[in-house]
Amino acid sequence: MENHLNDQNTECSVSSDSNDCQRVDQYGFERSEDFNYESYEELMSKHLAVVTRRSNKWSKLLQGTVKVEKNVKVKRYVRKGVPCEHRTQIWMAASGAQDQLERNPGYYHSLLKAEHDPKIEEVIRADMHRTFPDNIHFHASSQPCLQKALFNVLLAYGHHNKDVGYCQGMNFIAGYLLIITKDEEKSFWLMDALIGKILPDYYTPTMLGLKMDQEVLGELVRMKVPAVWQVMNRHDVMWTLVVSRWFICLYVDILPVETVLRIWDCLFYEGSKILFRVALTLIRHHQNLISQAQSLPEICERFKQITHGEYVEDCHTFMQKIFMEPGGLSTATITKFRKMCRNRITSA
Amino acid sequence: MAKQYDVLFRLLLLGDSGVGKTCLLCRFTDNEFHPSHISTIGVDFKMKTLEIDGIKVRIQIWDTAGQERYQTITKQYYRRAQGIFLVYDITSERSFQHIMKWASDVDEYAPEKVQKILVGNKSDEEQKRQVATEQGNKLAKAYGMDFFETSAFTNQNITESFTRLAELVLQANKKDLDLLGGSMNDEFNLAVLEEQEGLCNVSDDSRKSCWC
């Protein structure tokens, strides 16, 4: 499939001249009818220079090497965004997925060839037409169609990690990985890095890691944005109601595509703490809006509202904000809260 | 703020993944049908106001992810519901068999007084039917529930089934209503009092666009 999909590579070099590019974005997502082309052009012209500069810097950094070191310089580079053409390589290297792929040649394909659990197969199949119906590459009629690749990656993963199997939401993760890497095997190992290493146990049948992180976010909000914490409490709104999708889908289908990819750059390089930074930034920046809500439905509505609009569409600025707006957020704090919340949930 | 309704109910849509819960809801609240939409993750809800016997009934309809493991999250909402739709897909024998499992979970976690109806969705897909109407009828009878075959696609029985469940909830709580002598003031506690919201539009038109 790699060959089929490579012709999309050119789309990576952001172009907006053809009509097709106007109708769908560079990743194949159809634009809404009310898509504002004027403000898009404006942002584009501002950002094109930035993107080009970043791209040149990255090319220089990566000259003659496939390794991605963990140091302050690379971290700064990652936070400023990995250019589309280097994304697969950086994600693979930073997450350890590349090592795994090299250490296990043929493993992915052997999973596909082995006998499959019909139950897993059925649940995955049920989500095929419900994964990115608004992306042209996932239409059943498109050539090539990413649905088959999506099915394979999820099926292989379900048999590789039997504790997880298949959990709804993983389809969106695998879908994004395929859009970026255009390669099933790489997507598979990136999935494994995410689910097996980077994220807590979000997708297991107990979803304990998800429940834990929702509670952790609650604690962080209590500490950093008390006004929102109070309104949530007053109206008895469970965190799961407003943020479970944020965590499960790693912001896919919540935030604009490019913003999600920028978040994922950091997720692969720095780890899952970034998910809290994003949530806290969204909540803190809109704390007045949220805390003025008068009811549970209003709160839910506002939590949806804050994931749209210019604030999240301008991904460069947004990414700067997430490292400033929530203030300090040490790994020790997260670890402490995770332990505390996990205990609270399991002893309840 | 003046109330725009007299009572507020919470209804819950339950059933296997892919039976069409979200489509039923979109058809009912927005009169829309999207042949392709994304799978529901976690819990979501929409609102609509109906008028039943001169009473303005505001209903909050909770839509849930159907995959079994999500029950670990969605179960928390059962106890808040006054009415529950048990939904299966007439083209899926398995989804019909699972109704028993859904029903027993409801017995375990929902309030005793909760009203239930059985819904067999996708009635337009006659050629793929695996569950006969009679089977649905029989099961509903066994559970003492009303039964509807619906199609979100053709809009068959959508308003009917939602209105019926709202009526049942209203009837089941009629005593409480009468006790208040029809003066449904803020004391009325079928729903949480702070739900005096204005207009809530939970349409989710998540838009993705690239600016970079």
Side-chain angles (χ1 to χ4, degrees):
Chain A
M1 62 167 278
E2 205 167 354
N3 287 340
H4 297 208
L5 294 167
N6 268 350
D7 51 354
Q8 294 166 13
N9 262 342
T10 47
E11 290 174 8
C12 268
S13 54
V14 189
S15 67
S16 58
D17 18 303
S18 89
N19 276 338
D20 262 7
C21 268
Q22 298 273 326
R23 195 175 50 80
V24 299
D25 70 17
Q26 67 190 100
Y27 305 105
F29 287 99
E30 288 161 6
R31 289 185 168 133
S32 65
E33 279 165 25
D34 57 359
F35 183 77
N36 189 335
Y37 290 94
E38 252 173 56
S39 67
Y40 170 74
E41 289 297 331
E42 203 184 305
L43 257 174
M44 277 294 289
S45 58
K46 201 170 85 189
H47 289 319
L48 211 54
V50 184
V51 171
T52 313
R53 198 169 63 236
R54 298 310 315 158
S55 187
N56 288 339
K57 288 203 167 198
W58 271 97
S59 298
K60 223 177 265 174
L61 181 81
L62 292 170
Q63 223 160 35
T65 175
V66 287
K67 288 254 181 309
V68 177
E69 286 178 47
K70 298 262 174 172
N71 61 40
V72 183
K73 184 180 174 187
V74 181
K75 186 162 148 183
R76 196 179 67 235
Y77 270 45
V78 170
R79 287 183 176 188
K80 288 184 177 179
V82 180
C84 198
E85 66 268 25
H86 298 308
R87 215 157 231 153
T88 305
Q89 186 193 343
I90 302 300
W91 288 3
M92 291 292 293
S95 65
Q98 186 63 38
D99 289 346
Q100 283 291 83
L101 185 148
E102 285 165 16
R103 240 180 270 146
N104 301 281
Y107 176 68
Y108 172 72
H109 294 284
S110 73
L111 286 169
L112 286 182
K113 276 189 218 126
E115 206 174 309
H116 298 136
D117 178 347
K119 264 191 176 162
I120 293 188
E121 218 173 306
E122 195 186 312
V123 283
I124 295 173
R125 207 176 290 284
D127 275 343
M128 282 306 104
H129 68 286
R130 301 196 291 174
T131 309
F132 306 136
D134 59 342
N135 186 301
I136 53 165
H137 304 311
F138 286 87
H139 292 172
S141 57
S142 77
Q143 277 296 335
C145 173
L146 282 184
Q147 269 191 17
K148 179 68 187 157
L150 178 69
F151 181 78
N152 287 344
V153 170
L154 292 171
L155 188 67
Y157 195 78
H159 288 83
H160 163 68
N161 186 343
K162 293 208 169 69
D163 291 338
V164 168
Y166 174 69
C167 176
Q168 287 188 315
M170 283 163 58
N171 50 329
F172 300 123
I173 313 285
Y176 259 43
L177 292 172
L178 283 166
I179 290 170
I180 296 303
T181 66
K182 307 171 182 74
D183 183 295
E184 288 182 25
E185 193 176 14
K186 286 178 183 167
S187 299
F188 170 83
W189 287 111
L190 285 170
M191 265 312 257
D192 190 47
L194 278 174
I195 295 175
K197 208 166 72 182
I198 296 171
L199 300 169
D201 45 349
Y202 284 179
Y203 308 97
T204 52
T206 60
M207 302 187 106
L208 190 57
L210 172 71
K211 291 180 186 165
M212 171 185 76
D213 274 5
Q214 288 170 172
E215 294 292 310
V216 171
L217 181 64
E219 292 298 329
L220 293 171
V221 170
R222 167 152 55 176
M223 203 164 74
K224 290 172 181 286
V225 206
V228 170
W229 190 80
Q230 279 159 13
V231 80
M232 295 288 283
N233 247 13
R234 195 180 321 135
H235 295 286
D236 193 20
V237 186
M238 290 172 272
W239 283 98
T240 182
L241 187 56
V242 283
V243 299
S244 60
R245 278 184 68 215
W246 294 8
F247 287 120
I248 283 285
C249 301
L250 309 175
Y251 296 103
V252 170
D253 208 52
I254 310 280
L255 295 176
V257 181
E258 196 65 34
T259 309
V260 175
L261 295 172
R262 291 287 298 272
I263 295 166
W264 283 28
D265 289 342
C266 298
L267 180 65
F268 281 116
Y269 192 80
E270 300 182 40
S272 59
K273 194 167 77 174
I274 195 79
L275 302 177
F276 293 113
R277 284 204 167 276
V278 174
L280 283 169
T281 304
L282 288 170
I283 293 168
R284 192 167 181 278
H285 184 80
H286 299 94
Q287 57 177 314
N288 288 337
L289 180 81
I290 300 170
S291 54
Q292 282 161 13
Q294 302 289 320
S295 65
L296 179 142
E298 247 181 56
I299 292 172
C300 294
E301 171 61 18
R302 288 175 190 200
F303 264 88
K304 282 183 179 170
Q305 206 179 319
I306 65 175
T307 59
H308 300 279
E310 213 176 308
Y311 187 64
V312 290
E313 272 155 7
D314 182 358
C315 60
H316 294 308
T317 315
F318 182 72
M319 289 307 285
Q320 286 169 356
K321 289 264 164 38
I322 69 168
F323 294 105
M324 287 154 49
E325 176 114 26
L329 193 63
S330 72
T331 304
T333 307
I334 300 289
T335 310
K336 187 186 83 187
F337 278 144
R338 275 184 169 158
K339 201 173 160 194
M340 182 183 90
C341 293
R342 189 176 282 264
N343 284 339
R344 195 158 72 197
I345 295 162
T346 48
S347 63
Chain B
M1 193 195 325
K3 271 199 171 185
Q4 292 166 5
Y5 55 88
D6 302 320
V7 288
L8 184 126
F9 295 146
R10 287 209 189 84
L11 309 181
L12 189 64
L13 284 153
L14 296 180
D16 279 8
S17 175
V19 297
K21 298 180 290 296
T22 306
C23 286
L24 287 172
L25 185 52
C26 285
R27 176 59 90 182
F28 177 62
T29 57
D30 307 322
N31 197 19
E32 279 173 5
F33 179 79
H34 309 282
S36 48
H37 64 88
I38 62 164
S39 2
T40 307
I41 304 292
V43 190
D44 204 352
F45 69 91
K46 284 174 181 276
M47 321 263 300
K48 185 160 173 140
T49 307
L50 294 175
E51 193 164 320
I52 300 170
D53 298 336
I55 299 171
K56 276 202 188 114
V57 183
R58 182 84 168 145
I59 52 178
Q60 207 177 71
I61 309 144
W62 294 74
D63 187 16
T64 59
Q67 195 183 7
E68 199 178 341
R69 68 187 66 179
Y70 276 96
Q71 276 192 279
T72 183
I73 290 174
T74 54
K75 265 176 191 165
Q76 307 173 64
Y77 299 87
Y78 291 19
R79 68 181 167 81
R80 296 190 179 197
Q82 283 110 21
I84 291 181
F85 296 95
L86 296 171
V87 188
Y88 68 91
D89 166 4
I90 65 146
T91 72
S92 159
E93 172 74 32
R94 188 196 293 260
S95 74
F96 180 67
Q97 286 165 356
H98 282 175
I99 290 292
M100 279 193 280
K101 166 88 175 65
W102 288 108
S104 76
D105 286 339
V106 168
D107 286 343
E108 192 171 344
Y109 298 101
E112 212 174 309
K113 215 163 62 167
V114 75
Q115 300 297 304
K116 291 164 286 186
I117 64 169
L118 182 66
V119 172
N121 192 34
K122 306 194 190 177
S123 64
D124 55 287
E125 297 200 49
E126 197 53 55
Q127 71 290 354
K128 288 204 252 167
R129 182 189 280 274
Q130 290 184 359
V131 185
T133 308
E134 197 37 47
Q135 284 174 276
N137 259 323
K138 223 167 128 185
L139 185 70
K141 216 171 190 175
Y143 281 116
M145 291 188 268
D146 280 16
F147 170 59
F148 290 90
E149 277 196 352
T150 60
S151 164
F153 178 56
T154 65
N155 204 1
Q156 186 205 343
N157 275 339
I158 302 296
T159 312
E160 288 81 351
S161 53
F162 279 86
T163 309
R164 182 62 189 145
L165 185 56
E167 280 171 2
L168 288 168
V169 172
L170 195 65
Q171 277 168 22
N173 295 281
K174 196 81 180 163
K175 233 168 58 194
D176 297 334
L177 281 167
D178 290 343
L179 278 176
L180 289 165
S183 66
M184 282 154 288
N185 54 24
D186 284 350
E187 311 285 306
F188 188 66
N189 94 26
L190 270 179
V192 186
L193 291 175
E194 65 264 33
E195 309 283 352
Q196 291 181 29
E197 35 63 65
L199 287 170
C200 175
N201 177 14
V202 197
S203 69
D204 188 7
D205 57 342
S206 40
R207 225 22 266 163
K208 296 168 234 70
S209 49
C210 162
W211 299 98
C212 303

